[in-house]
Amino acid sequence: MPAGAFTMGDASGDGLAVDGELPLHPVELDAFEIDATPVTNEQFARFADATGYVTDAERTGASAVFHLLVDAPTADIAGPIVGTPWWIGVRGADWRHPGGRASSLAGLDQHPAVHVSWHDALAYCAWAGRRLPTEAEWERAARGGLESATYPWGDDPIDGNDGVWRANVWQGAFPAHNTAADGWVGTAPVRTFAPNGFGLWQAVGNVWEWCADRFDPGYYAIAPLVNPRGPEDGDGLGGERDDERRVLRGGSYLCHPSYCNRYRNSARSSNTPDSTMGNAGFRTVAA
């Protein structure tokens, strides 16, 4: 990614006010290098095997699995998560066992590593000599050089109206029935569909991607216009972990217009840095 400028934020009017995708603002970035794909299970396994690293999900002994993807003994199923009953707390779920203790990575080497926390992503970056992208770096790369476009490929619909599927998102009635019209119920291999104009694969859909920044929905109004690095403190939404939430970008295989329209270039979300779930991974950058 050469040094350059782009307009950051929601130009389509599809954003949620609570996410803070406005105001639109110009951003200048230094040159950086970014992974063409999210980190795969094969890559994460090399890191874990070389270092003996134990992820947050492995340490806590459980992680969040989408209800249709649970593959675990009944005794391991802790039950639905309050407020999001389609997420199930599953003991023994982790990056090596994405559905739970009865699952494995067989056939998933080229799928994105999931059930990795922000802390786990940082540990991988330290081993690889890289870092997480800033939110601004992620958005510029995701846009693929298309100024103000909704998606990495432009503004054409994601849902295959012209017979071409462009990303891995939910089809059908969420959260009960996924038709898998794009070929996937859960994660897809990282080089599925087509890359954007900068050569990035699946910047939207498939898995959420951790960024380096803390999250604050009011940040765009005060952000520096050159190499923004995110706010110094929290999201301003209150709570004992107010200053811990980190940015997630890109949406996932669970995104659907009926409840989540965050599979867009400008869409923002966040979670605490120790959170793990079956639809979040990361890609890395280097200056």
Side-chain angles (χ1 to χ4, degrees), residues 196-249:
N196 72 6
F198 289 145
L200 272 70
W201 297 76
Q202 297 201 70
V204 303
N206 211 20
V207 295
W208 285 101
E209 299 181 17
W210 289 108
C211 291
D213 311 34
R214 285 185 170 88
F215 176 76
D216 182 345
Y219 181 62
Y220 285 6
I222 60 171
L225 303 184
V226 179
N227 296 321
R229 299 287 173 183
E232 293 296 322
D233 52 18
D235 58 22
L237 300 179
E240 62 179 339
R241 307 182 71 181
D242 177 71
D243 67 348
E244 293 189 17
R245 298 185 74 87
R246 287 339 195 252
V247 170
L248 286 158
R249 284 300 204 115

Side-chain angles (χ1 to χ4, degrees), residues 34 38 44 56 113-122 125 131-135 138 207-215 244-251 269-277 279-285:
I34 187 166
F44 200 82
D56 278 336
V114 294
H115 297 291
V116 290
S117 70
W118 186 83
H119 295 306
D120 300 333
L122 287 190
C125 287
R131 59 178 174 82
L132 288 177
T134 67
E135 188 175 12
W138 187 97
V207 295
W208 285 101
E209 299 181 17
W210 289 108
C211 291
D213 311 34
R214 285 185 170 88
F215 176 76
E244 293 189 17
R245 298 185 74 87
R246 287 339 195 252
V247 170
L248 286 158
R249 284 300 204 115
S269 190
S270 67
N271 212 330
T272 52
D274 57 352
S275 293
T276 62
M277 48 277 186
N279 68 337
F282 66 103
R283 71 180 80 207
T284 74
V285 302

Side-chain angles (χ1 to χ4, degrees), residues 19-212:
D19 291 343
E21 295 182 43
L22 295 173
L24 291 171
H25 56 291
V27 173
E28 295 183 21
L29 295 176
D30 293 339
F32 64 97
E33 176 188 288
I34 187 166
D35 292 340
T37 74
V39 171
T40 65
N41 286 314
E42 181 180 64
Q43 292 170 314
F44 200 82
R46 286 202 296 268
F47 153 67
D49 291 346
T51 63
Y53 182 80
V54 178
T55 62
D56 278 336
E58 291 169 299
R59 276 192 289 271
T60 60
S63 191
V65 181
F66 184 68
H67 72 109
L68 296 181
L69 301 177
V70 173
D71 187 5
T74 301
D76 284 349
I77 300 173
I81 295 173
V82 176
T84 53
W86 47 86
W87 283 112
I88 307 296
V90 179
R91 287 183 285 272
D94 55 47
W95 74 273
R96 293 186 191 271
H97 308 91
R101 206 183 308 270
S103 66
S104 73
L105 294 181
L108 301 179
D109 280 356
Q110 296 307 309
H111 286 236
V114 294
H115 297 291
V116 290
S117 70
W118 186 83
H119 295 306
D120 300 333
L122 287 190
Y124 176 95
C125 287
W127 171 78
R130 298 175 69 80
R131 59 178 174 82
L132 288 177
T134 67
E135 188 175 12
E137 288 171 336
W138 187 97
E139 185 170 325
R140 183 181 176 216
R143 288 187 174 281
L146 300 178
E147 184 76 8
S148 300
T150 304
Y151 306 111
W153 55 86
D155 294 317
D156 290 335
I158 200 171
D159 61 3
N161 286 346
D162 59 358
V164 178
W165 288 97
R166 296 178 174 86
N168 178 17
V169 295
W170 186 278
Q171 306 92 44
F174 185 88
H177 178 62
N178 189 343
T179 66
D182 64 6
W184 309 97
V185 173
T187 59
V190 294
R191 293 182 185 268
T192 308
F193 308 104
N196 72 6
F198 289 145
L200 272 70
W201 297 76
Q202 297 201 70
V204 303
N206 211 20
V207 295
W208 285 101
E209 299 181 17
W210 289 108
C211 291

